Amino acid sequence: MKTILVTGGAGFIGSNFVRHVLARTAQYRVVNLDLLTYAGNLENLKDVERDERYAFVKADIADARAVERVFAEHAVDLVVNFAAESHVDRSIVDPEVFVRTNVLGTQVLLDRARAAGVERYLQVSTDEVYGSLGPQDKAFTEEHPIRPSSPYSASKAGADHLVHAVAHTFGLPAVITRCSNNYGPYQFPEKLIPLMISNALEGKELPVYGDGKNVRDWLHVDDHCSAILRALEAGKAGAVYNIGGASEMENIEVVRLILRAVNRPESLIRFVKDRPGHDRRYAIDAARIRQELGWEPACRFQDGIAETVRWYLEHRDWWERVKAGEYRKYYEMMYAGR
Ligand code: NAD
Ligand code: TYD
């Protein structure tokens, strides 16, 4: 049995990945290292916490001593780094913690992974490192220049460069995956889709930035998890793989779809002041992972969003608790001036 060290496993994608690995494979043990910031929630993993192939450690990826202890206590074979500050709006208000966790934290993990001689290190990155596209531009390939434009995406790009440098200089068998926007169960309700679903269910306004015509390329979180597992097991050392489902949509279309799904009126939509530096469009060309690794997304956006709306309807207690917690302070601060 091999051990995967999953960092950030108590967050949205990480918790879905932990569940995915335990449910679909028999050959891995998972050690989940997470600092439990505002975005980390052990409730996301209640159903697997007693699984004997699962262990949780509360630690900071930027704390070299703590990370060293985890490597000393567990014979880590593979690392998947999800741990990050992940919200663009927060990075505009307070970029420092993004540099600490996303850049310094990645370097600490790389150092330890190299010292332990792991079989594979996978860095979970984002399409946002490529910057923004115009309406007629071709979708991002892995060859697209790295041109991040928010403090969040700049910190993720910094991490990607460090991964590349350690792979190149020391031969660490590392892979980078760059995925488009995810949606699905357990997403923290400050991101577009869960925020809009939960606000609509609460009868609150839906704050749409600018003209609502910014375009994102949506992928169901389960499809992201299957792509990561595939890249972890079969990806070429040193390679970058884009992950996306070719599901481009304007934000306003997504919001209208959600309102129809929960049977609430469009009068709840409120156009608010735009996000500073707001990237206009992201679109992913995922030909490499499809052709080289045979990965295909299984979920169409229309089906995935219907299923996701049902999940939020059935887990109202989960998001009400999250929204009543630390998130409330942030939400009030963000919207005070809008
Ligand atoms: P999230 O904010 O829901 O979860 C992040 C997790 O990391 C939380 O559990 C948090 O407690 C943990 N964490 C934060 N700082 C830490 C630290 N210093 N040490 C240890 N743990 C720490 O994020 P997410 O949406 O699940 O994203 C996961 C990863 O996927 C990120 O690296 C993000 O950049 C990347 N990504 C996300 C998307 C998306 O649409 N959400 C798309 C592409 C890539
Ligand atoms: P978000 O979920 O924050 O992801 P990202 O910025 O990483 O793509 O936002 C997705 C899109 O939705 C983005 O164009 C910003 C927009 N948005 C709104 O219009 N209103 C909101 O309240 C939020 C959170 C996002």
Side-chain angles (χ1 to χ4, degrees), residues 87 128 181 190 192 195 207 209 216 251 275 278 335:
H87 189 37
E128 303 192 25
N181 285 58
E190 66 183 357
L192 181 75
L195 179 71
Y209 299 167
R216 296 293 183 265
N251 293 338
R275 171 188 282 173
H278 195 174
Y335 290 98

Side-chain angles (χ1 to χ4, degrees), residues 296-317:
E296 288 292 334
C299 185
R300 286 182 331 139
F301 186 76
Q302 278 72 4
D303 304 329
I305 197 77
E307 182 213 293
T308 302
V309 165
R310 264 199 308 281
W311 189 89
Y312 282 86
L313 275 166
E314 285 163 9
H315 294 80
R316 193 169 179 130
D317 54 335

